[in-house]
Amino acid sequence: MALGRKGARRIVVGGTAYRWRLRRRPTYSQGLGWSPCTYAVEHADHPGTTLVVTTNKVHPGNWLEAPGGSVLPSDVAEAIESALRQGWDPTRSGSPYQLDQSAGFSPLL
């Protein structure tokens, strides 16, 4: 699973460049506030395994206009560092690496 270049943002963590992307439009479940916001990260130069991060925030584009938390570059850097400590190898090919940070997520409704 590779990230599209359009809409991807660049971030450097520990001297290594990564690209990350938040889905512009929420999924149906995210739009209704039933499931948390997610984003994907990959190595910028040698993409391999994609990191998929599940946040504890509502997608900012939810349809109920509930205040959604923004995903900040500092959040992304923290998630990358956490995933690397847990064994994510961004240059190795394979299935997406899931990082669940959804503790404390409260679905709307």
Side-chain angles (χ1 to χ4, degrees):
M1 174 179 160
L3 287 178
R5 294 217 182 261
K6 189 172 184 177
R9 298 183 64 186
R10 183 179 161 90
I11 188 168
V12 177
V13 177
T16 304
Y18 298 91
R19 292 184 313 121
W20 67 280
R21 186 172 188 272
L22 174 69
R23 191 180 157 103
R24 183 179 308 237
R25 293 184 183 183
T27 64
Y28 184 80
S29 183
Q30 290 172 340
L32 291 172
W34 296 341
S35 63
C37 181
T38 59
Y39 60 92
V41 180
E42 73 178 7
H43 194 279
D45 301 322
H46 306 288
T49 302
T50 301
L51 170 64
V52 178
V53 182
T54 303
T55 69
N56 62 352
K57 303 173 183 181
V58 176
H59 193 286
N62 70 76
W63 305 324
L64 304 176
E65 297 181 8
S70 298
V71 176
L72 303 174
S74 60
D75 299 330
V76 176
E78 183 180 307
I80 292 170
E81 290 169 349
S82 177
L84 289 169
R85 282 192 305 271
Q86 294 177 30
W88 174 52
D89 183 354
T91 58
R92 190 192 70 211
S93 62
S95 300
Y97 187 89
Q98 304 288 331
L99 181 63
D100 188 357
Q101 297 182 326
S102 65
F105 174 75
S106 178
L108 301 176
L109 240 193

